[in-house]
Amino acid sequence: MAKTSTTTQGLRAAIERSGYYPALVAEAVEAAIGGEAIRSYLVHQETTFDANEVRRHVTVLVLTGNRFIVSHTDEQNADTTSPTPYATTSTESVKLGRISSVVVSRVVANPESYAPGTLPREVVLTIGWGAVARIDLEPAACGDPNCEADHGYTGSSTADDLSLRVSEAGDGPETVRQALAFAQSLSEATADPAH
């Protein structure tokens, strides 16, 4: 999809609908996009509860012809570094060729009566490009229960760059549809041999 005023307006409207510092978020995202064409986007606002505080977070994902752009904005209460509340916005731009995995997990109710095209109850989109990896280690052992030798460690490394969960109950059916559409666009873009 070429960057048209409709696509740009759609992204801007989605950011504004999130209700989360829209001018700040839009400026950061638009600066990261530059003049590139927008192929697909997803805006996800999340509210979490931390002890006695409510915290909001918005993630904006944008797919252009050459890049995957991730923007996160978090709000913070006043603290020792700032006497007033503040927000932190970050953007990361990833070349499509660096994306190593796009995982879409779908949760459906009553799978025995699932009909193709039925909207999942929940979607988890996990995208890996090698910036963050989680390593889980544990002591290695042999089969001898009396062995006291040090066998080193064994473990696994998992790409853990971005994981985003949307649900019909919490985010609405349209956000679930948008997450699936974005995931499909990103999967197709990373399958393109030009990237």
Side-chain angles (χ1 to χ4, degrees), residues 55-133:
R55 294 187 184 262
R56 296 182 300 162
H57 174 90
V58 69
T59 301
V60 179
L61 309 178
V62 178
L63 176 63
T64 71
N66 300 308
R67 298 180 298 147
F68 166 62
I69 297 165
V70 182
S71 174
H72 294 286
T73 303
D74 291 291
E75 64 183 351
Q76 306 293 328
N77 292 324
D79 58 24
T80 57
T81 64
S82 176
T84 60
Y86 60 99
T88 304
T89 299
S90 63
T91 57
E92 182 173 2
S93 175
V94 180
K95 289 183 180 182
L96 288 177
R98 289 205 43 223
I99 295 178
S100 56
S101 67
V102 178
V103 180
V104 181
S105 300
R106 301 166 190 242
V107 177
V108 298
N110 303 312
E112 68 282 353
S113 61
Y114 176 79
T118 302
L119 198 61
R121 185 173 70 193
E122 179 179 308
V123 171
V124 178
L125 173 60
T126 304
I127 304 165
W129 59 90
V132 178

Side-chain angles (χ1 to χ4, degrees), residues 40-52:
S40 186
Y41 61 86
L42 175 63
V43 177
H44 181 251
Q45 194 269 334
E46 180 179 18
T47 302
T48 57
F49 300 93
D50 181 20
N52 295 330

